[in-house]
Amino acid sequence: MVPEQSRPPRKDLKAEATVLKWSLCCRVFALLLQVILNAAVVDYDSSACCLDQPGGSRHLELPLGGMRRWDSVYFLRIAEHGYEYEQNSAFFPVWPLTVGAVADIFLSPLAPVLSRSDHLLVSAALTGTVFFCAAAVFLFRLSLRVTRDRQLSLCASLLFCVNPAVVFFHAAYSTSMFACLSFWAMLHWHCGHRWRSTAVMALLCGVRSNGILTCGFVAYELGYRCLTVCSSGPADVRRILRLAMDAFAAALRVSIICSALFVYQAVIYDVYCDHDAFTRSRPPTANAAPVDSSVHPYPARPGWCRSATGLSYGHVQSQYWNVGFLRYFDAKQIPNFALASPVFLLTVVFAVT
């Protein structure tokens, strides 16, 4: 096991309360700011042409309409109608399912007075707030346990709430949920609760595809133990058996982590590669957009259905968003690189020093 200090730091409830209040204030400020900007600035929103967006009520459009933009359109559409179109499969199901469950269970009194799309939008705003505040608290606990420095941990958590990418945490994206579960999984891992952490990591793979990168924690620990055994002198049978058991446990953890991703891909294959299943999955709603052959090429099966792996994710990202290895490195992206350079340089300097 990777050596850890024997005595974990005590919980600092006062500091956690400060982090919670700060994160909630940042969330409220961001919502107020988007209300002002939503009223003052005309949106540039290319997501409007991607899917048939239901019109929100005028009462909610001003306070929350800014959250129904860009990828939020896809998440909210999936929460309302399921996976209607091929490009929807790029957006993983745990966040839309959570938004729908919160709307149906905890916000059910709002159902008679709001349309389904507005009901889900309110649910996404409240659910995202809970996950954002929880993420800040978990980051503080994790930082305190790793650094054992209260001030540094508090500063890191407060800066997390105002980081340059905070706009993604305040939209109806899965970002807040992913950050919260990531910090929670790492906290369990650092506390030595390997199987609890593995369960949370598996859930992460159902939120976003890059949740699979958490397998790196498992690989690092196994590599560390291998180096420890190899550098501690001649190996005996007991240590070799112990290492073999560790390798088996690591393989089992990786399988559990990846299981959510593979189950999701199997469901997507069944939905889009089986014409009957796809037809059954389309809800008979008036707001459902008509099937466009350029978006969902039926009756012909999508090309990825006939591939060796049968995985849709890479195909969808490449075809609809031009995402691929080194594709982002283009001359037209130079302004974005310049915009990101200060944070990048600060990160490199502090990582080195």
Side-chain angles (χ1 to χ4, degrees):
M1 180 179 294
V2 180
E4 299 174 357
Q5 296 183 3
S6 57
R7 292 185 179 180
R10 296 178 181 177
K11 287 186 178 180
D12 193 332
L13 297 180
K14 184 177 180 180
E16 288 185 9
T18 301
V19 172
L20 185 60
K21 292 175 184 177
W22 174 255
S23 61
L24 188 58
C25 288
C26 289
R27 181 74 173 186
V28 172
F29 174 77
L31 290 175
L32 293 176
L33 184 62
Q34 74 93 22
V35 169
I36 297 172
L37 295 178
N38 201 32
V41 181
V42 177
D43 291 319
Y44 172 70
D45 182 15
S46 63
S47 58
C49 66
C50 298
L51 292 173
D52 179 30
Q53 296 189 80
S57 67
R58 289 180 296 176
H59 301 291
L60 279 179
E61 190 61 27
L62 180 61
L64 297 179
M67 299 182 65
R68 188 161 31 202
R69 299 290 184 269
W70 302 101
D71 288 355
S72 301
V73 172
Y74 291 93
F75 284 118
L76 294 173
R77 185 76 183 186
I78 293 169
E80 185 174 2
H81 295 300
Y83 287 88
E84 298 173 291
Y85 305 106
E86 185 183 40
Q87 68 265 42
N88 287 10
S89 62
F91 302 91
F92 281 47
V94 172
W95 170 246
L97 288 174
T98 303
V99 170
V102 170
D104 293 335
I105 298 173
F106 299 103
L107 301 178
S108 55
L110 298 178
V113 296
L114 293 176
S115 66
R116 180 59 177 172
S117 59
D118 287 340
H119 193 193
L120 291 170
L121 181 61
V122 173
S123 173
L126 295 178
T127 307
T129 299
V130 171
F131 278 114
F132 178 72
C133 295
V137 173
F138 282 138
L139 176 60
F140 173 77
R141 292 181 182 177
L142 176 64
S143 301
L144 184 62
R145 190 170 184 92
V146 172
T147 66
R148 298 178 179 273
D149 188 326
R150 179 183 182 277
Q151 289 301 116
L152 180 61
S153 302
L154 186 60
C155 183
S157 302
L158 299 183
L159 289 176
F160 165 77
C161 297
V162 293
N163 75 85
V166 76
V167 62
F168 298 107
F169 291 86
H170 297 312
Y173 283 22
S174 59
T175 312
S176 292
M177 185 182 201
F178 188 82
C180 176
L181 294 179
S182 296
F183 296 146
W184 193 27
M186 286 185 275
L187 181 60
H188 277 311
W189 189 269
H190 195 271
C191 292
H193 305 148
R194 298 295 190 259
W195 293 108
R196 294 183 194 175
S197 180
T198 299
V200 180
M201 290 174 182
L203 188 59
L204 274 171
C205 286
V207 179
R208 300 185 69 159
S209 62
N210 48 2
I212 199 172
L213 296 177
T214 54
C215 292
F217 289 97
V218 182
Y220 173 82
E221 184 178 63
L222 180 61
Y224 182 91
R225 292 181 178 179
C226 288
L227 289 176
T228 302
V229 170
C230 294
S231 61
S232 59
D236 55 23
V237 176
R238 180 180 299 178
R239 282 191 294 176
I240 292 177
L241 289 177
R242 177 64 181 174
L243 187 60
M245 293 176 62
D246 290 341
F248 175 78
L252 184 58
R253 290 189 183 109
V254 169
S255 300
I256 293 173
I257 293 171
C258 296
S259 62
L261 181 63
F262 291 130
V263 168
Y264 170 66
Q265 288 297 314
V267 171
I268 289 298
Y269 184 91
D270 182 66
V271 170
Y272 291 98
C273 298
D274 182 343
H275 183 273
D276 293 335
F278 170 74
T279 302
R280 291 194 302 270
S281 71
R282 289 182 58 83
T285 62
N287 289 331
V291 177
D292 183 350
S293 60
S294 65
V295 176
H296 208 339
Y298 280 102
R301 297 171 67 193
W304 56 267
C305 291
R306 298 183 293 274
S307 66
T309 60
L311 300 179
S312 65
Y313 189 76
H315 164 81
V316 169
Q317 289 282 6
S318 175
Q319 178 168 335
Y320 296 100
W321 286 277
N322 195 33
V323 174
F325 183 65
L326 298 181
R327 289 189 189 178
Y328 190 78
F329 292 87
D330 196 356
K332 65 182 180 181
Q333 301 295 348
I334 290 178
N336 290 328
F337 294 139
L339 187 65
S341 59
V343 175
F344 175 75
L345 291 176
L346 284 173
T347 303
V348 171
V349 169
F350 280 100
V352 172
T353 57

